[in-house]
Amino acid sequence: MRRSFIAGLLGIFGLNKIASAKDQKTFPPVPKWRPSFLQPMEKIIDRMTYYTNGKSDIAVFRSGTCVILGSGLSDSDAKTFALKTLSDIFNYHPDMNPKPMDDGNILVTYNHPAANVVLHDVAEAHWDEVEKHYLDGLATSEVLVTPLGPNKFDAFGKQALLGRAYMFMDAQAPEIVQVRRNS
């Protein structure tokens, strides 16, 4: 009851429109960091093919986010599924689960069938930027608890934030550049 009374007062003064416009600008929250470098697309696809044992079709977005597709989807259905998957991650909450891979890279997965590969050699070549901006890889007001503490990251965590930054870039301007079919 109290909530509707307050909402009514805001409506009378036209403040509900101001608040909702402000909320739209900040939702979903996004990080400030937009890495200045991309990773080689063919290397990302090669690694994703390896990680899926060559058994999955993959839709690849401009910044390297990969969506694992169900088998037998047409190109049109594959693109629709990939766009919806990325939107679901972005508009729900981009929880990430980074995993060290046997080749030294990091695979950042989400609550939906999508991932970002962080190529170790690329991250290492751009380590100055990663070190300088990894905290900008956190979304507005986001706190991630790691074994080191809240928003404390080791090299692995910093690279995971790099991978997730690419996902945010793709989610804000989704463009599928390739649908790679399994062999």
Side-chain angles (χ1 to χ4, degrees):
M1 185 77 158
R2 180 180 166 90
R3 189 172 184 81
S4 61
F5 173 74
I6 293 171
L9 283 177
L10 289 173
I12 290 171
F13 295 106
L15 297 177
N16 59 344
K17 292 178 185 171
I18 294 169
S20 67
K22 180 182 178 190
D23 292 344
Q24 287 176 359
K25 287 182 184 177
T26 59
F27 187 85
V30 297
K32 290 186 281 187
W33 189 22
R34 298 179 60 82
S36 67
F37 58 95
L38 293 177
Q39 302 181 102
M41 193 66 62
E42 281 306 314
K43 262 185 117 170
I44 291 170
I45 293 168
D46 175 71
R47 295 295 76 205
M48 282 300 296
T49 301
Y50 171 69
Y51 301 149
T52 60
N53 296 317
K55 295 180 180 176
S56 298
D57 293 347
I58 303 166
V60 186
F61 287 84
R62 167 121 352 255
S63 298
T65 304
C66 298
V67 172
I68 311 301
L69 304 169
S71 55
L73 294 178
S74 68
D75 284 352
S76 175
D77 289 343
K79 289 178 181 177
T80 299
F81 178 81
L83 289 166
K84 182 181 181 323
T85 298
L86 189 58
S87 176
D88 287 349
I89 294 166
F90 183 60
N91 289 299
Y92 173 64
H93 188 277
D95 289 330
M96 67 173 169
N97 183 20
K99 300 173 192 164
M101 303 308 284
D102 63 4
D103 57 4
N105 298 320
I106 296 173
L107 185 67
V108 180
T109 60
Y110 307 96
N111 291 337
H112 298 278
N116 288 88
V117 176
V118 179
L119 300 168
H120 177 72
D121 59 335
V122 175
E124 191 174 77
H126 296 276
W127 194 247
D128 288 345
E129 180 176 337
V130 174
E131 275 286 331
K132 184 176 181 181
H133 294 288
Y134 74 91
L135 284 175
D136 291 332
L138 294 168
T140 308
S141 302
E142 182 177 32
V143 176
L144 296 180
V145 179
T146 74
L148 301 174
N151 291 345
K152 304 275 186 205
F153 300 94
D154 57 11
F156 178 82
K158 293 171 186 179
Q159 289 177 71
L161 288 169
L162 169 63
R164 197 177 72 150
Y166 288 129
M167 182 281 299
F168 275 110
M169 290 169 61
D170 282 327
Q172 291 175 81
E175 179 186 348
I176 297 169
V177 295
Q178 189 174 149
V179 173
R180 180 64 64 98
R181 301 299 179 169
N182 69 32
S183 48

